[in-house]
Amino acid sequence: MKILVSVKRVVDFNVKVRVKPDGTGVDLGNVKMAMNPFCEIAVEEGVRLKEQGIADEVVVVSIGPKACQEQIRTAMALGADRGIQIETDQELDSLAVAKLLAKVVEEEQPGLVILGKQSIDSDNNQTGQMLGALTGMPQGTFASEVNLVEGKVEVTREVDGGLQTLSLNLPAIVTTDLRLNEPRYASLPNFMKAKRKPLDTKSPADFGVDISPRLKTLKVEPPAERQAGIIVGSVDELVEKLKNEAKVI
Amino acid sequence: MKREAMEFDVVIVGAGPAGLSAAIRLMQQAQEKAQELMVCVVEKGSEVGAHTLSGAVLEPRALNELFPDWKDRGAPLHTPVSQDEIYLFTGPEDAKKIPNGLVPKTMHNDGNFVVSVGNLCRWLAEQAETLGVEIFPGFAAAEILFDADGAVKGIATGDMGVGEDGQHKDSYMPGMELHAKYTVFAEGCRGHLGKQLMERFELDKDADPQHYGIGIKELWDIDPAKHQPGLVIHGGGWPLDKETNGGSFLYHAENNQVVLGLIVDLSYSNPYVSPFEEMQRMKHHPVFKQYLEGGKRVSYGARAIAKGGFNALPKMHFPGGLLVGCDAGTLNFAKIKGTHTAMKSGIVSAETIFFAIDQGGLDLAAYAEAFEASWAYDELYRSRNFGPAMHKFGTLMGGAFNYVDQNWFKGKLPFTLRDRTSDYAQLKPAAESNKIDYPKPDGVISFDKLSSVFLSSTNHEEDQPCHLKLKNPSIPLERNLPLFDEPAQRYCPAGVYEVVDEESGGKRFQINAQNCLHCKTCDIKDPSQNITWVAPEGAGGPNYPNM
Ligand SMILES: Cc1cc2nc3c(=O)[nH]c(=O)nc-3n(C[C@H](O)[C@H](O)[C@H](O)COP(=O)(O)OP(=O)(O)OC[C@H]3O[C@@H](n4cnc5c(N)ncnc54)[C@H](O)[C@@H]3O)c2cc1C
Ligand code: SF4
């Protein structure tokens, strides 16, 4: 079975993001980028299924500027076999990504598609579901456990109030939650090997997909800064402040 | 699990200006002679540039030699220095601007560029990779490997996935041995492997002790109306007192950004000095504040600087390898510039090593002669009296001495001032020192330590062994606290060291290692020389942008 994993290049989770002074978006100049952590979990799951002998190939795809080849190479260092980059410098809506992935699915015919449940930059949580709708494949989202049994995939999902287990026919779509696995470290020799693994570059036009945005960002604002607290001298002062300044009692 | 090993021709530790220049020059020679050469660079930062912190005004001399066509290759040198200003600060509101005619020659910056050395390294790394160098960010060299004869035969990267208790976690991955014909150590100031090499091979036996400063730096977006690309400001005096040497800087870079910082010599004697708070109050001086008002702080960081220069330069070669750049101490403190000399020492090392490989494996003693013949060495020689003069006469008279030395005698005065006391041994007891009452930060121009560290995007895997090793865990509370009021609480620019009151009434020494900025100051300044900085798990540490 072939597994297709999608990965996104996002701002590194350690970086404290800044809004551009003109409020048009987040400032990405000189900022460290990395693979979206949920996508890393998706790669790890694909690689584990291959190591268990259930999958025979893990293909990783990323859509974005040339630099996202770095994330594809990292995925290959973690164990993916080959990469596909769909190159565009345009900002992409979830729907455009899902449409492109649907085309890749058509071409590659994977038995399982694994995606992160969301990316930590836009937090949309839509692409996997949209891909399900576009391809008609069954979907198991927010997976915390994935088991392949007799031609089906059992997906344990983290839902409000507990865990739900679904059994899906293959081919299927899985989106990963945080607890699915703990990704490994890529080793140094594997980084070297990854440089020699095949990486195909395509463009959205190759797939005939229209990626023009359907959403418009009006304004991006940082959350209000928390005011510094004060230490009150006595209970009386506290009561007085709550009454007259905060006006909550 | 046994460690695997890989073989290279040359392994380089550290992707700073020195290490990357060495890598590039090696491959250029290999290409010229159509030879195969396997060169790899390991870098402890999560990416090249993530741990780089500099000023910086760059003198492009070494870059010109490495890539005469650097402009066409898109090197990030966009802002030529347009104006130099030097101030002597005499108080929180007062300053004397030094007339141009009285400025030592070494402080003129015509032909230089305001750059981000972080971005310069990112660009150098791209060039190196194009030439075929293997660069591995996220891998720290943790151990030096020796062959049976005691020569260096490479390094080992650190293990990953080890818990705080030393136990292997599920994600455990043993380090790798990287073997090489020659190993180049380019870890920058106070490299932790460099320090071991100095001891083992007695490299600094005939040199004066190395002297250091701590540089604390911030990057700001400022009001475009106040931005003057290429304006370079240096200052001395206030906020530091007469017993504390150092200097401040503010450079106007590109994109409406300025960088500013304060370098405090670690030879200071008052244990109550807090370089961090000196830097915060410095920003309120009108000369700095005028640019910062209405702006926003983008990033913060700190790094030690090796400023001993010529007199402290150790032997740089040993069996199996070389020490280059600030790992050896090639910075020219009279110019407060080390990037160009670090690069030059890297270039010369590559030429020595390539020749040695070509000749079937010579020892590297030729490096000493080759480096001594270079302009970098000549520069360090001419500036040899600068630091000691400052230490001996203070900023004002030291400055006058340096003017005469550099402008009238071109650095060739027939005598050499020496400075033979190590920085850690300079502290006076707290009882003999005055407490310093630093103003509270206003949250607009000045800030506290924690919100500052936050802007360095520093992170370390929490569950790992502490990378700040105490030789004797009782010293902080039993010696340093009573004698010096444990200065680590103040010299550490990241608030890593705290003396905490226990509920029981006792005290506890706490190390918040995950905040560490890898500046190395504790390893240098601890008066008991009790703290050893070792490399944490790869990729840990700051994630600096264009610092
Ligand atoms: C505040 C400040 C201002 C400065 N201003 C200027 C200026 O205006 N002009 C100028 O020319 N110079 C300036 N300098 C000096 C300049 O930054 C240094 O001289 C220069 O960076 C030295 O280059 P290097 O390659 O030797 O070391 P570094 O730049 O320190 O690079 C060393 C690299 O090695 C890595 N490393 C270290 N140990 C290990 C390990 N064990 N394993 C793997 N990787 C490791 C580090 O992460 C780092 O990337 C300034 C320095 C400071 C601190
Ligand atoms: S712990 Fe040491 S190396 Fe780390 S930031 Fe503090 S002084 Fe610098």
Side-chain angles (χ1 to χ4, degrees):
Chain A
M1 185 179 66
K2 186 194 282 184
I3 296 181
L4 182 71
V5 180
S6 69
V7 302
K8 184 175 181 187
R9 175 179 171 89
V10 298
V11 175
D12 188 290
F13 74 96
N14 292 310
V15 168
K16 311 303 178 264
V17 295
R18 279 185 325 129
V19 172
K20 286 187 200 158
D22 63 3
T24 54
V26 167
D27 196 343
L28 295 182
N30 297 307
V31 160
K32 160 119 206 307
M33 307 292 280
M35 194 192 305
N36 177 39
F38 290 105
C39 300
E40 219 176 319
I41 295 172
V43 174
E44 175 69 29
E45 198 62 19
V47 172
R48 286 189 190 183
L49 288 169
K50 187 178 166 192
E51 286 169 346
Q52 289 159 20
I54 295 168
D56 42 37
E57 189 184 25
V58 179
V59 180
V60 51
V61 54
S62 186
I63 308 168
K66 184 159 177 89
C68 71
Q69 290 190 2
E70 258 174 57
Q71 280 61 50
I72 298 178
R73 294 283 175 208
T74 305
M76 296 197 290
L78 290 166
D81 299 290
R82 67 186 164 91
I84 304 170
Q85 187 217 355
I86 307 177
E87 192 171 329
T88 169
D89 287 328
Q90 195 172 317
E91 223 175 290
L92 298 169
D93 297 345
S94 303
L95 185 59
V97 174
K99 282 182 181 170
L100 285 167
L101 291 179
K103 292 288 182 187
V104 177
V105 167
E106 206 180 298
E107 231 178 68
E108 294 283 340
Q109 297 289 323
L112 193 64
V113 184
I114 314 181
L115 305 86
K117 71 166 181 180
Q118 66 197 53
S119 58
I120 60 166
D121 50 0
S122 55
D123 274 345
N124 286 357
N125 187 342
Q126 293 171 334
T127 305
Q129 294 88 329
M130 286 174 168
L131 182 62
L134 289 172
T135 57
M137 283 155 69
Q139 52 175 297
T141 51
F142 316 149
S144 61
E145 204 183 321
V146 172
N147 289 306
L148 276 115
V149 267
E150 291 157 18
K152 290 188 193 293
V153 56
E154 275 184 13
V155 179
T156 305
R157 310 181 57 224
E158 300 198 3
V159 293
D160 289 346
L163 298 175
Q164 178 192 47
T165 304
L166 299 176
S167 176
L168 312 174
N169 288 329
L170 296 176
I173 293 169
V174 170
T175 75
T176 62
D177 216 324
L178 217 52
R179 268 173 284 271
L180 179 57
N181 61 48
E182 194 189 322
R184 71 195 64 192
Y185 296 100
S187 74
L188 217 134
N190 285 345
F191 268 110
M192 282 181 76
K193 279 184 207 140
K195 289 192 183 164
R196 287 187 291 272
K197 289 185 181 175
L199 197 168
D200 258 0
T201 316
K202 309 212 163 183
S203 78
D206 294 342
F207 296 101
V209 172
D210 173 18
I211 56 165
S212 46
R214 289 160 179 257
L215 300 172
K216 195 170 137 193
T217 304
L218 298 179
K219 198 169 175 204
V220 178
E221 272 183 88
E225 267 174 52
R226 217 167 62 102
Q227 298 293 315
I230 50 165
I231 293 174
V232 291
S234 67
V235 175
D236 286 347
E237 192 190 341
L238 175 66
V239 172
E240 194 271 328
K241 286 214 186 296
L242 289 175
K243 235 188 209 147
N244 300 325
E245 266 179 43
K247 301 206 167 57
V248 289
I249 51 171
Chain B
M1 267 189 263
K2 205 183 151 285
R3 284 197 299 219
E4 285 180 63
M6 287 168 85
E7 305 287 333
F8 292 90
D9 292 304
V10 184
V11 167
I12 299 172
V13 180
L20 290 169
S21 299
I24 288 169
R25 192 70 200 110
L26 278 166
M27 288 318 250
Q28 286 176 337
Q29 295 172 94
Q31 285 199 344
E32 281 157 21
K33 293 211 160 179
Q35 280 181 19
E36 282 261 345
L37 198 68
M38 291 269 287
V39 177
C40 100
V41 182
V42 290
E43 166 55 50
K44 67 181 162 63
S46 64
E47 62 169 357
V48 174
H51 288 184
T52 307
L53 183 142
S54 187
V57 176
L58 177 78
E59 198 175 301
R61 190 165 182 182
L63 182 62
N64 289 338
E65 292 181 8
L66 204 54
F67 290 114
D69 58 344
W70 56 259
K71 224 178 223 137
D72 299 332
R73 292 170 178 260
L77 279 63
H78 304 300
T79 316
V81 173
S82 55
Q83 198 183 331
D84 266 311
E85 290 180 4
I86 301 190
Y87 293 89
L88 180 66
F89 296 115
T90 47
E93 302 282 336
D94 312 306
K96 288 198 184 83
K97 193 164 166 180
I98 315 278
N100 233 343
L102 287 181
V103 171
K105 266 210 172 115
T106 50
M107 291 300 290
H108 284 289
N109 279 305
D110 307 328
N112 296 339
F113 293 81
V114 178
V115 301
S116 149
V117 175
N119 281 356
L120 176 68
C121 289
R122 290 180 179 101
W123 176 84
L124 286 170
E126 276 171 29
Q127 305 301 315
E129 283 190 316
T130 312
L131 286 163
V133 177
E134 302 273 359
I135 302 183
F136 299 112
F139 291 91
E143 194 186 322
I144 309 168
L145 304 173
F146 299 95
D147 67 15
D149 301 329
V152 172
K153 69 161 186 195
I155 54 100
T157 63
D159 294 350
M160 311 282 264
V162 179
E164 192 177 351
D165 51 7
Q167 300 291 318
H168 297 176
K169 297 185 279 185
D170 288 347
S171 55
Y172 175 70
M173 183 174 77
M176 283 282 304
E177 296 200 357
L178 304 181
H179 297 170
K181 293 182 181 135
Y182 299 104
T183 310
V184 178
F185 293 83
E187 304 165 283
C189 172
R190 195 75 169 192
H192 90 288
L193 299 181
K195 187 174 153 187
Q196 292 171 20
L197 290 166
M198 301 245 199
E199 256 170 54
R200 182 173 179 121
F201 295 110
E202 299 186 316
L203 300 177
D204 53 358
K205 191 172 57 174
D206 300 322
D208 284 359
Q210 185 57 273
H211 291 285
Y212 302 89
I214 174 176
I216 300 188
K217 174 182 168 184
E218 294 181 354
L219 172 67
W220 285 64
D221 280 341
I222 64 161
D223 178 357
K226 297 177 180 171
H227 190 236
Q228 301 173 45
L231 170 61
V232 161
I233 298 174
H234 286 107
W238 188 89
L240 303 176
D241 64 21
K242 282 197 288 298
E243 268 101 69
T244 313
N245 287 313
S248 45
F249 62 91
L250 184 147
Y251 308 148
H252 287 246
E254 57 229 37
N255 298 329
N256 297 321
Q257 292 191 314
V258 299
V259 294
L260 77 161
L262 178 69
I263 295 174
V264 179
D265 288 10
L266 288 175
S267 59
Y268 69 78
S269 57
N270 183 343
Y272 290 112
V273 165
S274 163
F276 172 83
E277 279 163 300
E278 297 289 353
M279 148 77 177
Q280 294 305 318
R281 71 169 166 180
M282 166 198 112
K283 288 183 286 177
H284 287 275
H285 195 286
V287 167
F288 296 108
K289 203 165 106 183
Q290 57 177 331
Y291 298 112
L292 304 180
E293 268 176 333
K296 197 163 168 46
R297 192 166 66 142
V298 176
S299 189
Y300 164 86
R303 181 78 172 96
I305 180 166
K307 49 174 283 265
F310 183 84
N311 299 332
L313 209 57
K315 199 168 122 189
M316 292 158 79
H317 61 91
F318 46 84
L322 294 174
L323 208 55
V324 299
C326 281
D327 213 351
T330 54
L331 180 131
N332 180 349
F333 198 64
K335 294 182 174 177
I336 356 171
K337 290 188 187 67
T339 312
H340 64 304
T341 43
M343 288 177 75
K344 181 66 182 176
S345 74
I347 293 172
V348 177
S349 78
E351 288 163 355
T352 306
I353 288 177
F354 191 80
F355 183 74
I357 292 178
D358 210 38
Q359 301 292 307
L362 300 179
D363 82 17
L364 299 175
Y367 182 69
E369 221 169 290
F371 187 64
E372 276 164 35
S374 75
W375 53 257
Y377 186 84
D378 182 54
E379 221 188 276
L380 293 181
Y381 173 75
R382 288 170 189 248
S383 301
R384 73 199 180 285
N385 285 332
F386 186 90
M390 290 294 202
H391 279 191
K392 207 180 175 93
F393 309 129
T395 308
L396 198 54
M397 285 313 291
F401 173 86
N402 284 317
Y403 173 78
V404 172
D405 182 23
Q406 296 297 323
N407 292 35
W408 297 355
F409 293 91
K410 311 265 181 293
K412 300 216 155 164
L413 271 179
F415 59 88
T416 302
L417 297 172
R418 311 301 286 249
D419 185 354
R420 293 200 169 96
T421 313
S422 292
D423 293 338
Y424 69 86
Q426 297 278 12
L427 278 186
K428 288 189 184 136
E432 294 166 26
S433 309
N434 292 326
K435 278 200 175 166
I436 305 176
D437 192 15
Y438 291 108
K440 275 211 166 60
D442 68 356
V444 182
I445 298 286
S446 48
F447 305 91
D448 64 15
K449 257 188 204 173
L450 277 186
S451 63
S452 301
V453 176
F454 184 76
L455 286 183
S456 65
S457 299
T458 295
N459 188 42
H460 289 88
E461 161 64 42
E462 254 172 67
D463 186 14
Q464 67 169 305
C466 181
H467 73 280
L468 302 151
K469 307 269 180 224
L470 301 181
K471 283 181 209 148
N472 174 350
S474 63
I475 279 187
L477 293 182
E478 282 171 19
R479 176 169 192 265
N480 287 357
L481 188 63
L483 213 51
F484 304 108
D485 196 19
E486 183 48 279
Q489 303 177 83
R490 290 171 296 277
Y491 63 61
C492 172
V496 168
Y497 301 101
E498 288 182 286
V499 177
V500 187
D501 290 319
E502 300 256 71
E503 261 171 47
S504 62
K507 289 191 189 296
R508 184 165 50 87
F509 188 62
Q510 181 170 310
I511 305 182
N512 310 310
Q514 66 280 3
N515 281 355
C516 175
L517 295 171
H518 297 198
C519 78
K520 315 276 177 83
T521 303
C522 50
D523 194 290
I524 298 164
K525 187 66 177 170
D526 177 42
S528 310
Q529 286 295 281
N530 185 44
I531 303 175
T532 305
W533 187 100
V534 302
E537 189 168 281
N543 281 287
Y544 292 137
N546 46 327
M547 295 285 270

